[in-house]
Amino acid sequence: MAVARLTLRGAGLAALGCGLLAFGVTQQQREFVLPGAFLVLLPLIALVGVSWGVRRRSGRRLVGTPRVAAGEPVIVELHLARPGVGLGTVHLVEDTVPASMGAGPAFLRATGWGRVRLGLRYRLTPPLRGRYQLGPLRWSNSDPLGLARAITTVPETTALTVTPRVQALAAADHTSGVGPSGDVAAVRTGLIGPDDALIRDYRAGDDVRRIHWPSTARTGTMMVRREERAWDPSALLLLDNRTGAHPGTGTESGFEWAVSAAASIGTHLLSSGFAVELVDAGGTRLQAPSEQAVRASTLLEYLTDVGLHPGEGFEAAVRAEGRRAPAPLLIAILGRIDERDAGLLELAGRERRSCWALLTEPDLDPQARRRLDLAGWRVVPDAMTLGLAAAWGGCDSGALR
């Protein structure tokens, strides 16, 4: 869409010229006619100049990557062109961005006669996950005196997907012991031969009758025979998305931290070879496809759109989980919980090897804490303040239990 019109200055100048022209003609004052005519023609000439070729202008927007994590920058390029002959003007280019990303960028450029080609770029840093639209683009140009302006609006928009922030997590020994046997899949494979694939490090409490003396002598470390049961590398993430559990909104809210934690832990487990599923407080369940790269992408896509749920408890999540064989590892990322919630979590954690709870809120109900402790949960209170990396390490060591 293209529009050309006089500015307030140009319209005022033309009105003044019409007044002088009318006065000179009616009062037969010839000395006012020429200046009046000049003041009328000058804005009209400026209007013709800025309108020249305005309908043939084109613009397009290129985004460096259509998907970016929250807090990471993305480069946006604008390519504008005016083919054919044109007069020299001053161009103002403005792009529209979501309000959460701040004021839209504006560029001021002066061009000479002839064709115009402008290549502009700016940088965006989306602070919050979600799906956004960039555009429309507004391209206006005016004459050097600012008497007329032509505006071209490029209505096309560009989609930008902002996924949750993903933090790198250290490899942890606890993730290898969550299968039915509770043993590591392969221990010291560089030191032990193929015949010793069922040998692992000695742990406190192991039956001394399981000590494998040849491997102990060969490695210099006490080794025992593993229980010969299959390792099941699967985990379930429980995301607490209840509205009442997470006060506040925006980038610093507990819910956004919980979503980022779910994305970070989920992608970390996927890269470690786990099959990861996710269920929220409303019972909505995400089961990732078989290909690992697609699984991580699917998880991030789902967490990009997940929102708060009006429910008050975890009944729907427990019902959704109860219809399937339980994964050995359950990781709950929680907001504010009470004793009733702890009872539902205790029910969800039955028949599992490990259950961990990361809470965004600092104040945990003592009865809820006691109930989770008795059920064998590893609890990290106020994980949001502690930081995800430290909370993850706390689950590993059990020191914060």
Side-chain angles (χ1 to χ4, degrees):
M1 182 178 66
V3 177
R5 60 175 179 265
L6 293 177
T7 63
L8 186 61
R9 180 187 301 175
L13 201 63
L16 178 60
C18 289
L20 290 176
L21 191 58
F23 178 79
V25 171
T26 57
Q27 300 299 320
Q28 297 184 350
Q29 300 290 328
R30 303 177 99 185
E31 58 272 19
F32 290 97
V33 174
L34 188 58
F38 176 76
L39 293 179
V40 170
L41 290 175
L42 188 61
L44 296 178
I45 294 172
L47 183 62
V48 172
V50 299
S51 302
W52 194 279
V54 68
R55 296 188 180 278
R56 301 180 60 193
R57 294 194 298 196
S58 62
R60 62 192 181 103
R61 181 188 303 99
L62 299 177
V63 178
T65 173
R67 195 175 82 163
V68 65
E72 292 186 359
V74 59
I75 301 299
V76 181
E77 296 183 356
L78 304 176
H79 296 275
L80 310 175
R82 183 191 66 191
V85 178
L87 302 179
T89 58
V90 178
H91 301 266
L92 176 63
V93 180
E94 300 169 286
D95 204 5
T96 305
V97 302
S100 61
M101 300 182 195
F107 304 90
L108 194 62
R109 297 289 188 271
T111 60
W113 297 71
R115 296 183 178 138
V116 173
R117 291 190 180 276
L118 297 176
L120 309 170
R121 59 168 22 195
Y122 63 91
R123 181 162 141 169
L124 281 178
T125 305
L128 197 63
R129 66 188 174 88
R131 300 184 188 275
Y132 301 96
Q133 296 292 330
L134 304 181
L137 176 69
R138 189 171 182 265
W139 177 8
S140 63
N141 66 297
S142 63
D143 63 284
L145 297 178
L147 303 179
R149 177 175 291 112
I151 302 174
T152 301
T153 301
V154 181
E156 287 78 10
T157 59
T158 303
L160 178 64
T161 300
V162 182
T163 61
R165 191 192 311 261
V166 175
Q167 301 181 44
L169 298 177
D173 291 337
H174 57 229
T175 57
S176 59
V178 298
S181 67
D183 289 334
V184 182
V187 180
R188 297 181 179 269
T189 54
L191 299 177
I192 302 175
D195 295 337
D196 296 325
L198 297 179
I199 305 301
R200 65 163 173 81
D201 290 324
Y202 175 84
R203 298 174 185 165
D206 282 339
D207 189 341
V208 295
R209 291 174 296 181
R210 293 173 55 198
I211 295 176
H212 192 264
W213 295 107
S215 297
T216 299
R218 188 161 55 248
T219 63
T221 303
M222 189 73 74
M223 309 293 288
V224 298
R225 291 186 299 274
R226 293 195 308 118
E227 297 179 25
E228 298 184 28
R229 283 184 283 174
W231 180 50
D232 180 16
S234 61
L236 175 69
L237 297 180
L238 171 60
L239 176 63
D240 183 2
N241 64 334
R242 298 171 299 161
T243 303
H246 300 284
T249 58
T251 57
E252 302 302 321
S253 67
F255 179 59
E256 291 303 323
W257 187 91
V259 173
S260 175
S264 302
I265 294 172
T267 54
H268 175 73
L269 293 176
L270 286 170
S271 65
S272 300
F274 276 68
V276 176
E277 298 182 33
L278 183 143
V279 63
D280 64 19
T284 302
R285 189 182 187 100
L286 172 69
Q287 182 177 6
S290 56
E291 295 82 4
Q292 180 170 317
V294 178
R295 286 189 301 180
S297 175
T298 303
L299 178 67
L300 291 177
E301 287 288 331
Y302 175 81
L303 290 174
T304 297
D305 300 320
V306 68
L308 290 170
H309 185 270
E312 297 182 356
F314 297 109
E315 292 89 346
V318 173
R319 285 197 302 269
E321 173 61 9
R323 292 190 292 265
R324 303 170 59 90
L329 175 61
L330 170 60
I331 303 175
I333 305 169
L334 309 170
R336 184 180 294 131
I337 65 171
D338 55 22
E339 185 180 3
R340 177 172 172 271
D341 298 326
L344 291 169
L345 292 171
E346 179 185 1
L347 180 63
R350 290 177 181 174
E351 301 180 8
R352 299 183 189 274
R353 297 293 303 180
S354 299
C355 296
W356 309 336
L358 279 66
L359 285 83
T360 62
E361 295 299 308
D363 300 323
L364 175 59
D365 180 83
Q367 296 300 323
R369 176 62 182 269
R370 181 174 178 275
R371 192 159 185 173
L372 290 177
D373 285 344
L374 291 176
W377 281 71
R378 293 183 180 180
V379 181
V380 182
D382 200 12
M384 182 176 172
T385 301
L386 186 64
L388 181 57
W392 181 251
C395 283
D396 184 22
S397 64
L400 298 178
R401 183 179 172 184

